Coordinates of all heavy atoms in Angstrom, one line a residue:
M1 N -87.6 -95.4 -61.9 CA -88.1 -96.0 -60.8 C -87.1 -95.9 -59.7 O -85.9 -96.3 -59.9 CB -88.6 -97.4 -61.0 CG -89.2 -98.0 -59.9 SD -90.1 -99.6 -60.0 CE -90.1 -100.1 -61.7
G2 N -87.4 -95.5 -58.5 CA -86.5 -95.4 -57.4 C -86.1 -96.8 -56.9 O -86.8 -97.8 -57.2
H3 N -85.1 -96.9 -56.1 CA -84.6 -98.2 -55.6 C -85.6 -98.8 -54.7 O -85.9 -100.0 -54.8 CB -83.3 -98.0 -54.8 CG -82.1 -97.8 -55.7 ND1 -81.7 -98.8 -56.5 CD2 -81.3 -96.7 -55.8 CE1 -80.6 -98.3 -57.2 NE2 -80.4 -97.1 -56.8
F4 N -86.3 -98.0 -53.8 CA -87.3 -98.7 -52.9 C -88.5 -99.2 -53.7 O -88.9 -100.3 -53.4 CB -87.7 -97.6 -51.8 CG -88.6 -98.2 -50.8 CD1 -88.2 -99.2 -49.9 CD2 -90.0 -97.9 -50.8 CE1 -89.0 -99.7 -49.0 CE2 -90.8 -98.5 -49.9 CZ -90.4 -99.4 -49.0
R5 N -88.9 -98.5 -54.6 CA -90.1 -98.9 -55.4 C -89.7 -100.2 -56.2 O -90.4 -101.1 -56.3 CB -90.5 -97.8 -56.4 CG -91.7 -98.3 -57.2 CD -92.1 -97.1 -58.1 NE -93.4 -96.7 -57.7 CZ -94.0 -95.6 -58.1 NH1 -93.4 -94.9 -59.0 NH2 -95.2 -95.3 -57.7
A6 N -88.5 -100.2 -56.8 CA -88.0 -101.4 -57.5 C -87.9 -102.6 -56.5 O -88.2 -103.7 -56.9 CB -86.7 -101.1 -58.1
F7 N -87.4 -102.3 -55.3 CA -87.3 -103.4 -54.3 C -88.7 -104.0 -54.0 O -88.9 -105.2 -53.9 CB -86.7 -102.8 -53.0 CG -86.7 -103.8 -51.9 CD1 -85.8 -104.9 -51.8 CD2 -87.6 -103.7 -50.8 CE1 -85.8 -105.8 -50.8 CE2 -87.6 -104.6 -49.8 CZ -86.7 -105.6 -49.8
I8 N -89.7 -103.1 -53.8 CA -91.1 -103.6 -53.5 C -91.7 -104.4 -54.6 O -92.2 -105.5 -54.5 CB -92.0 -102.4 -53.1 CG1 -91.5 -101.7 -51.8 CG2 -93.4 -102.8 -53.0 CD1 -91.6 -102.6 -50.6
V9 N -91.5 -103.9 -55.9 CA -92.0 -104.6 -57.0 C -91.3 -105.9 -57.2 O -92.0 -107.0 -57.5 CB -91.9 -103.7 -58.3 CG1 -92.1 -104.5 -59.6 CG2 -92.8 -102.5 -58.2
T10 N -90.0 -106.0 -57.0 CA -89.3 -107.2 -57.1 C -89.7 -108.2 -56.0 O -89.8 -109.4 -56.3 CB -87.7 -107.0 -57.0 OG1 -87.4 -106.0 -58.0 CG2 -86.9 -108.2 -57.2
L11 N -89.9 -107.7 -54.8 CA -90.3 -108.6 -53.7 C -91.7 -109.2 -54.0 O -91.9 -110.4 -53.8 CB -90.3 -107.8 -52.4 CG -90.7 -108.5 -51.2 CD1 -89.8 -109.7 -50.9 CD2 -90.8 -107.6 -50.0
L12 N -92.6 -108.4 -54.5 CA -93.9 -108.9 -54.8 C -93.9 -109.9 -55.9 O -94.6 -110.9 -55.9 CB -94.9 -107.7 -55.1 CG -95.2 -106.8 -54.0 CD1 -96.1 -105.6 -54.5 CD2 -96.0 -107.6 -52.9
A13 N -93.0 -109.7 -56.9 CA -92.9 -110.6 -58.0 C -92.3 -111.9 -57.5 O -92.8 -113.0 -57.9 CB -92.1 -110.0 -59.1
L14 N -91.3 -111.8 -56.7 CA -90.7 -113.1 -56.1 C -91.7 -113.8 -55.3 O -91.7 -115.1 -55.3 CB -89.4 -112.7 -55.3 CG -88.2 -112.3 -56.1 CD1 -87.1 -111.9 -55.2 CD2 -87.7 -113.5 -57.0
D15 N -92.5 -113.1 -54.5 CA -93.5 -113.8 -53.6 C -94.5 -114.5 -54.5 O -94.9 -115.6 -54.2 CB -94.2 -112.8 -52.8 CG -93.3 -112.3 -51.6 OD1 -92.3 -113.0 -51.3 OD2 -93.7 -111.3 -51.0
A16 N -94.9 -113.9 -55.6 CA -95.9 -114.5 -56.5 C -95.3 -115.8 -57.1 O -95.9 -116.8 -57.2 CB -96.3 -113.5 -57.6
V17 N -94.0 -115.7 -57.5 CA -93.3 -116.9 -58.1 C -93.3 -118.0 -57.1 O -93.5 -119.2 -57.4 CB -91.9 -116.5 -58.7 CG1 -91.1 -117.7 -59.0 CG2 -92.1 -115.6 -59.9
V18 N -92.9 -117.6 -55.8 CA -92.8 -118.6 -54.8 C -94.2 -119.3 -54.6 O -94.2 -120.6 -54.5 CB -92.3 -118.0 -53.5 CG1 -92.6 -118.9 -52.3 CG2 -90.9 -117.6 -53.6
F19 N -95.3 -118.6 -54.5 CA -96.6 -119.2 -54.3 C -97.0 -120.1 -55.5 O -97.5 -121.2 -55.3 CB -97.7 -118.1 -54.1 CG -97.7 -117.6 -52.7 CD1 -97.5 -116.3 -52.4 CD2 -98.0 -118.5 -51.7 CE1 -97.5 -115.8 -51.1 CE2 -98.1 -118.0 -50.4 CZ -97.8 -116.7 -50.1
V20 N -96.7 -119.7 -56.7 CA -97.1 -120.5 -57.9 C -96.2 -121.7 -57.9 O -96.8 -122.9 -58.1 CB -96.9 -119.7 -59.2 CG1 -97.0 -120.5 -60.4 CG2 -98.0 -118.5 -59.2
V21 N -94.9 -121.6 -57.8 CA -94.0 -122.8 -57.8 C -94.3 -123.7 -56.6 O -94.4 -124.9 -56.8 CB -92.6 -122.4 -57.9 CG1 -91.6 -123.5 -57.7 CG2 -92.3 -121.6 -59.2
G22 N -94.6 -123.1 -55.5 CA -94.9 -124.0 -54.3 C -96.2 -124.7 -54.5 O -96.3 -125.9 -54.0
S23 N -97.2 -124.1 -55.1 CA -98.4 -124.8 -55.2 C -98.3 -125.9 -56.3 O -99.1 -126.9 -56.3 CB -99.5 -123.8 -55.6 OG -99.3 -123.2 -56.9
V24 N -97.4 -125.7 -57.3 CA -97.3 -126.8 -58.3 C -96.4 -127.9 -57.8 O -96.7 -129.1 -58.0 CB -96.6 -126.1 -59.6 CG1 -96.2 -127.2 -60.6 CG2 -97.6 -125.2 -60.2
L25 N -95.3 -127.6 -57.1 CA -94.4 -128.7 -56.7 C -94.8 -129.4 -55.4 O -94.5 -130.6 -55.2 CB -93.0 -128.1 -56.4 CG -92.3 -127.5 -57.7 CD1 -90.9 -127.0 -57.3 CD2 -92.2 -128.6 -58.7
A26 N -95.5 -128.7 -54.5 CA -95.8 -129.4 -53.2 C -97.2 -130.1 -53.3 O -98.0 -129.7 -54.1 CB -95.9 -128.3 -52.1
P27 N -97.3 -131.2 -52.6 CA -98.6 -131.8 -52.5 C -99.7 -130.9 -51.9 O -99.4 -129.9 -51.3 CB -98.4 -133.0 -51.6 CG -97.0 -132.9 -51.1 CD -96.3 -131.8 -51.8
P28 N -101.0 -131.2 -52.1 CA -102.0 -130.3 -51.6 C -102.2 -130.2 -50.1 O -103.0 -129.5 -49.6 CB -103.3 -130.9 -52.3 CG -103.0 -132.3 -52.6 CD -101.5 -132.4 -52.8
D29 N -101.3 -130.9 -49.4 CA -101.4 -130.8 -47.9 C -100.9 -129.4 -47.5 O -99.8 -129.0 -47.8 CB -100.5 -131.9 -47.3 CG -100.3 -131.8 -45.8 OD1 -101.3 -131.4 -45.2 OD2 -99.3 -132.2 -45.3
P30 N -101.7 -128.7 -46.7 CA -101.2 -127.3 -46.3 C -100.0 -127.3 -45.5 O -99.2 -126.4 -45.6 CB -102.4 -126.8 -45.5 CG -103.6 -127.7 -45.8 CD -103.0 -129.0 -46.2
F31 N -99.8 -128.3 -44.6 CA -98.5 -128.3 -43.8 C -97.3 -128.5 -44.7 O -96.3 -127.8 -44.5 CB -98.6 -129.4 -42.8 CG -97.4 -129.5 -41.9 CD1 -97.2 -128.5 -40.9 CD2 -96.5 -130.5 -42.0 CE1 -96.1 -128.6 -40.1 CE2 -95.4 -130.6 -41.2 CZ -95.2 -129.6 -40.2
T32 N -97.4 -129.3 -45.6 CA -96.2 -129.5 -46.5 C -96.0 -128.3 -47.4 O -94.8 -127.9 -47.6 CB -96.5 -130.8 -47.4 OG1 -96.8 -131.9 -46.6 CG2 -95.3 -131.1 -48.3
Q33 N -97.0 -127.6 -47.8 CA -96.9 -126.4 -48.6 C -96.2 -125.3 -47.7 O -95.4 -124.6 -48.2 CB -98.2 -125.9 -49.1 CG -98.7 -126.8 -50.3 CD -99.9 -126.2 -50.9 OE1 -100.6 -125.3 -50.4 NE2 -100.3 -126.7 -52.1
L34 N -96.6 -125.2 -46.5 CA -95.9 -124.3 -45.6 C -94.4 -124.6 -45.4 O -93.6 -123.7 -45.3 CB -96.6 -124.2 -44.2 CG -97.9 -123.4 -44.2 CD1 -98.5 -123.5 -42.8 CD2 -97.6 -121.9 -44.4
L35 N -94.1 -125.8 -45.3 CA -92.7 -126.2 -45.2 C -91.9 -125.8 -46.4 O -90.7 -125.5 -46.3 CB -92.5 -127.7 -45.0 CG -92.9 -128.2 -43.6 CD1 -92.8 -129.7 -43.5 CD2 -92.1 -127.6 -42.5
L36 N -92.5 -125.8 -47.6 CA -91.8 -125.5 -48.8 C -91.8 -123.9 -49.1 O -90.8 -123.3 -49.4 CB -92.4 -126.2 -50.0 CG -91.8 -125.9 -51.4 CD1 -90.4 -126.5 -51.5 CD2 -92.7 -126.4 -52.5
V37 N -93.0 -123.3 -48.9 CA -93.2 -121.9 -49.2 C -92.7 -121.0 -48.1 O -92.1 -120.0 -48.4 CB -94.7 -121.6 -49.5 CG1 -95.0 -120.2 -49.7 CG2 -95.2 -122.4 -50.8
G38 N -92.7 -121.4 -46.9 CA -92.3 -120.6 -45.8 C -90.8 -120.2 -45.9 O -90.6 -118.9 -45.9
P39 N -89.9 -121.1 -46.0 CA -88.5 -120.7 -46.1 C -88.2 -119.8 -47.4 O -87.4 -118.9 -47.4 CB -87.7 -122.0 -46.2 CG -88.6 -123.0 -45.5 CD -90.0 -122.5 -45.8
A40 N -88.9 -120.2 -48.5 CA -88.8 -119.4 -49.7 C -89.2 -118.0 -49.5 O -88.6 -117.0 -50.0 CB -89.5 -120.1 -50.9
L41 N -90.3 -117.8 -48.8 CA -90.8 -116.4 -48.5 C -89.9 -115.7 -47.6 O -89.8 -114.4 -47.7 CB -92.2 -116.4 -47.9 CG -93.3 -116.8 -48.9 CD1 -94.7 -116.8 -48.2 CD2 -93.4 -115.8 -50.0
L42 N -89.2 -116.4 -46.8 CA -88.2 -115.7 -45.9 C -86.9 -115.3 -46.7 O -86.3 -114.3 -46.3 CB -87.8 -116.6 -44.7 CG -88.9 -116.8 -43.7 CD1 -88.5 -117.8 -42.6 CD2 -89.3 -115.5 -43.0
L43 N -86.6 -116.0 -47.7 CA -85.4 -115.7 -48.6 C -85.8 -114.7 -49.6 O -84.8 -114.0 -50.2 CB -84.9 -117.0 -49.2 CG -84.3 -118.0 -48.3 CD1 -83.9 -119.2 -49.1 CD2 -83.0 -117.4 -47.6
A44 N -87.0 -114.4 -49.9 CA -87.4 -113.5 -51.0 C -86.9 -112.1 -50.7 O -86.4 -111.4 -51.6 CB -88.9 -113.5 -51.2
P45 N -87.0 -111.5 -49.5 CA -86.5 -110.2 -49.3 C -85.0 -110.1 -49.5 O -84.5 -109.1 -50.1 CB -86.9 -109.8 -47.8 CG -88.0 -110.7 -47.5 CD -87.8 -112.0 -48.3
A46 N -84.3 -111.1 -49.1 CA -82.8 -111.0 -49.3 C -82.5 -111.1 -50.8 O -81.6 -110.4 -51.3 CB -82.1 -112.2 -48.6
M47 N -83.2 -111.9 -51.5 CA -83.0 -112.0 -53.0 C -83.4 -110.7 -53.7 O -82.7 -110.2 -54.6 CB -83.8 -113.2 -53.5 CG -83.5 -113.5 -55.0 SD -81.9 -114.0 -55.1 CE -82.0 -115.0 -56.6
A48 N -84.5 -110.1 -53.3 CA -84.9 -108.8 -53.8 C -83.9 -107.7 -53.5 O -83.6 -106.9 -54.4 CB -86.3 -108.4 -53.3
W49 N -83.3 -107.7 -52.3 CA -82.3 -106.7 -52.0 C -81.1 -106.9 -52.8 O -80.5 -105.9 -53.3 CB -82.0 -106.9 -50.5 CG -80.9 -106.0 -50.0 CD1 -81.0 -104.7 -49.7 CD2 -79.5 -106.3 -49.9 NE1 -79.8 -104.2 -49.3 CE2 -78.8 -105.2 -49.5 CE3 -78.8 -107.5 -50.2 CZ2 -77.4 -105.1 -49.3 CZ3 -77.4 -107.5 -49.9 CH2 -76.8 -106.3 -49.5
W50 N -80.6 -108.2 -53.0 CA -79.5 -108.4 -53.9 C -79.7 -108.0 -55.3 O -78.9 -107.4 -55.9 CB -79.1 -109.9 -53.8 CG -77.9 -110.2 -54.7 CD1 -76.6 -110.0 -54.4 CD2 -78.0 -110.8 -56.0 NE1 -75.9 -110.4 -55.5 CE2 -76.6 -110.9 -56.4 CE3 -79.0 -111.3 -56.8 CZ2 -76.3 -111.5 -57.7 CZ3 -78.7 -111.9 -58.0 CH2 -77.4 -111.9 -58.4
L51 N -80.9 -108.3 -55.8 CA -81.2 -107.9 -57.2 C -81.3 -106.4 -57.4 O -80.8 -105.9 -58.4 CB -82.5 -108.5 -57.6 CG -82.5 -110.0 -57.9 CD1 -83.9 -110.6 -58.1 CD2 -81.7 -110.4 -59.1
V52 N -81.8 -105.7 -56.4 CA -82.0 -104.2 -56.6 C -80.8 -103.4 -56.2 O -80.3 -102.6 -56.9 CB -83.3 -103.8 -55.9 CG1 -83.4 -102.2 -55.9 CG2 -84.5 -104.4 -56.5
Y53 N -80.3 -103.7 -55.0 CA -79.3 -102.8 -54.4 C -77.9 -103.3 -54.7 O -76.9 -102.5 -54.5 CB -79.5 -102.7 -52.9 CG -80.7 -101.9 -52.5 CD1 -81.8 -102.6 -52.0 CD2 -80.7 -100.5 -52.6 CE1 -83.0 -101.8 -51.7 CE2 -81.9 -99.8 -52.3 CZ -83.0 -100.5 -51.8 OH -84.1 -99.8 -51.5
R54 N -77.7 -104.5 -55.1 CA -76.3 -105.0 -55.4 C -76.1 -105.3 -56.8 O -75.3 -106.2 -57.2 CB -76.0 -106.3 -54.5 CG -75.8 -106.0 -53.1 CD -74.6 -105.2 -52.9 NE -74.3 -104.9 -51.5 CZ -73.4 -104.1 -51.1 NH1 -72.6 -103.5 -51.9 NH2 -73.2 -104.0 -49.8
D55 N -76.9 -104.7 -57.7 CA -76.8 -104.8 -59.1 C -77.0 -106.3 -59.6 O -76.3 -106.7 -60.5 CB -75.5 -104.3 -59.7 CG -75.5 -102.8 -59.5 OD1 -76.5 -102.1 -59.5 OD2 -74.4 -102.2 -59.3
G56 N -77.8 -107.0 -58.9 CA -78.1 -108.4 -59.3 C -78.7 -108.5 -60.7 O -78.5 -109.5 -61.4
F57 N -79.6 -107.6 -61.0 CA -80.2 -107.6 -62.4 C -79.2 -107.5 -63.5 O -79.3 -108.1 -64.5 CB -81.3 -106.5 -62.5 CG -82.6 -106.8 -61.8 CD1 -83.0 -105.9 -60.8 CD2 -83.3 -107.9 -62.1 CE1 -84.2 -106.2 -60.1 CE2 -84.5 -108.2 -61.4 CZ -85.0 -107.3 -60.5
A58 N -78.2 -106.6 -63.3 CA -77.1 -106.4 -64.3 C -76.3 -107.7 -64.4 O -75.9 -108.1 -65.5 CB -76.2 -105.3 -63.9
R59 N -76.0 -108.4 -63.3 CA -75.3 -109.6 -63.3 C -76.0 -110.7 -64.0 O -75.5 -111.5 -64.8 CB -74.9 -110.1 -61.9 CG -73.9 -109.1 -61.3 CD -73.6 -109.6 -59.9 NE -72.8 -108.5 -59.2 CZ -72.4 -108.6 -58.0 NH1 -72.6 -109.7 -57.2 NH2 -71.7 -107.6 -57.4
V60 N -77.3 -110.8 -63.7 CA -78.2 -111.8 -64.3 C -78.3 -111.6 -65.8 O -78.2 -112.5 -66.6 CB -79.6 -111.9 -63.7 CG1 -80.5 -112.8 -64.4 CG2 -79.5 -112.4 -62.2
Q61 N -78.4 -110.3 -66.2 CA -78.5 -110.0 -67.6 C -77.2 -110.3 -68.3 O -77.2 -110.7 -69.5 CB -78.9 -108.5 -67.8 CG -79.1 -108.1 -69.2 CD -79.5 -106.6 -69.3 OE1 -79.5 -105.9 -68.3 NE2 -79.8 -106.2 -70.5
G62 N -76.1 -110.1 -67.6 CA -74.8 -110.4 -68.2 C -74.6 -111.9 -68.5 O -73.9 -112.3 -69.4
V63 N -75.2 -112.7 -67.6 CA -75.2 -114.2 -67.8 C -76.1 -114.6 -69.0 O -75.7 -115.4 -69.8 CB -75.6 -114.9 -66.5 CG1 -75.7 -116.4 -66.8 CG2 -74.5 -114.6 -65.5
I64 N -77.2 -114.0 -69.1 CA -78.2 -114.3 -70.1 C -77.7 -113.8 -71.5 O -77.8 -114.5 -72.5 CB -79.6 -113.8 -69.8 CG1 -80.1 -114.5 -68.5 CG2 -80.5 -114.0 -70.9 CD1 -81.4 -113.9 -68.0
E65 N -77.2 -112.5 -71.5 CA -76.8 -111.9 -72.7 C -75.3 -111.5 -72.6 O -75.0 -110.3 -72.3 CB -77.6 -110.7 -73.0 CG -79.1 -111.0 -73.2 CD -79.9 -109.7 -73.3 OE1 -79.3 -108.6 -73.3 OE2 -81.1 -109.8 -73.4
P66 N -74.4 -112.4 -72.7 CA -73.0 -112.1 -72.5 C -72.5 -111.1 -73.6 O -72.9 -111.1 -74.7 CB -72.3 -113.4 -72.6 CG -73.2 -114.3 -73.3 CD -74.6 -113.8 -73.1
D67 N -71.6 -110.2 -73.1 CA -70.9 -109.3 -74.1 C -69.8 -110.1 -74.8 O -68.9 -110.6 -74.2 CB -70.3 -108.1 -73.3 CG -71.4 -107.3 -72.7 OD1 -72.5 -107.2 -73.2 OD2 -71.1 -106.6 -71.6
D68 N -69.9 -110.0 -76.1 CA -68.9 -110.7 -77.0 C -67.7 -109.8 -77.4 O -66.8 -110.2 -78.1 CB -69.5 -111.2 -78.2 CG -70.5 -112.4 -77.9 OD1 -70.3 -113.0 -76.9 OD2 -71.4 -112.6 -78.7
E69 N -67.7 -108.6 -76.9 CA -66.7 -107.6 -77.3 C -65.4 -107.8 -76.5 O -65.4 -108.2 -75.4 CB -67.2 -106.2 -77.1 CG -68.4 -105.9 -78.0 CD -69.0 -104.5 -77.8 OE1 -68.2 -103.6 -77.5 OE2 -70.1 -104.4 -77.9

């Protein structure tokens, strides 16, 4: 998978996570949900860029599965 395609897939996955977590954590008031979900959606492209183009997935995997060698 190319970098751009991985970026788009990662961005869509992060957006889905933001909407699900925002709907669970925030009260049902739409204004409050926008205050929580809005900034998170603005940070999602930066996080997707870091994960795809700056080897963030490799760093996260290294934390989850450390090399014992």
Side-chain angles (χ1 to χ4, degrees):
M1 181 172 355
H3 284 296
F4 183 70
R5 180 180 250 172
F7 174 77
I8 295 297
V9 169
T10 304
L11 181 60
L12 291 175
L14 287 174
D15 286 345
V17 168
V18 164
F19 277 117
V20 170
V21 170
S23 66
V24 170
L25 294 180
D29 175 33
F31 181 72
T32 307
Q33 285 186 349
L34 279 176
L35 287 177
L36 178 70
V37 172
L41 286 177
L42 291 175
L43 291 175
M47 186 67 153
W49 177 82
W50 179 76
L51 286 170
V52 174
Y53 291 106
R54 289 294 183 187
D55 295 329
F57 283 123
R59 293 180 190 178
V60 171
Q61 185 179 7
V63 170
I64 293 172
E65 300 172 3
D67 293 332
D68 291 337
E69 297 179 34

